[in-house]
Each structure stands twice: as C-alpha cells, then as structure tokens.
Amino acid sequence: MPIYEYRCNKCGSCFEQLVFASDGDEPQPCPQCGKNDTCRIMSSFSCGSSSSGSDLGGTLSSGCSPSGGFS
C-alpha cells in the first residue's frame, strides 16, 4: 500500500493517506473538512545512508551520491 499526499481544493489542507490499489483513482476525503474535492500532489522522498556517523557538515555522504556507486 503506497502512501500518497493530497491537498484539499476546498480548505487547502494537505494530508497523507494509505491507499489500497483498488482505491488508487478515487478521491480521498479531507480529514479537516470532509469534502471529497482533493487532488494528489507530488511528494518528496528521503534517501538513507548506510554510514553510522551524524556528520552533516558540507558534503553529502549518502548511498545515493554518484561517487558511492554500485558494484
């Protein structure tokens, strides 16, 4: 089950919703106002690192960097 992000066209609130594959194209009700006038919005994603350090200063050292590469 993917998690999608939605925005309500009536009240403007944004929310996340777990969606079953069979319900993927159906509008999701807004938890704030209850209206079904919502649209799915583009969401960002996070990329984890396999390093155990917490050094966030200046350089990127995640598994997603081009220098990390795959073997």
Side-chain angles (χ1 to χ4, degrees):
M1 278 188 304
I3 297 175
Y4 291 113
E5 290 185 48
Y6 292 88
R7 183 181 65 239
C8 180
N9 294 320
K10 295 293 182 187
C11 71
S13 70
C14 293
F15 61 96
E16 296 177 343
Q17 185 72 34
L18 279 171
V19 180
F20 291 101
S22 60
D23 297 335
D25 293 333
E26 293 183 25
Q28 300 297 313
C30 174
Q32 288 290 100
C33 68
K35 303 291 184 188
N36 279 336
D37 188 11
T38 58
C39 61
R40 193 167 24 174
I41 58 175
M42 189 68 96
S43 61
S44 62
F45 63 93
S46 151
C47 182
S49 173
S50 61
S51 66
S52 61
S54 61
D55 179 23
L56 298 177
T59 61
L60 254 160
S61 61
S62 73
C64 295
S65 67
S67 62
F70 294 96
S71 44

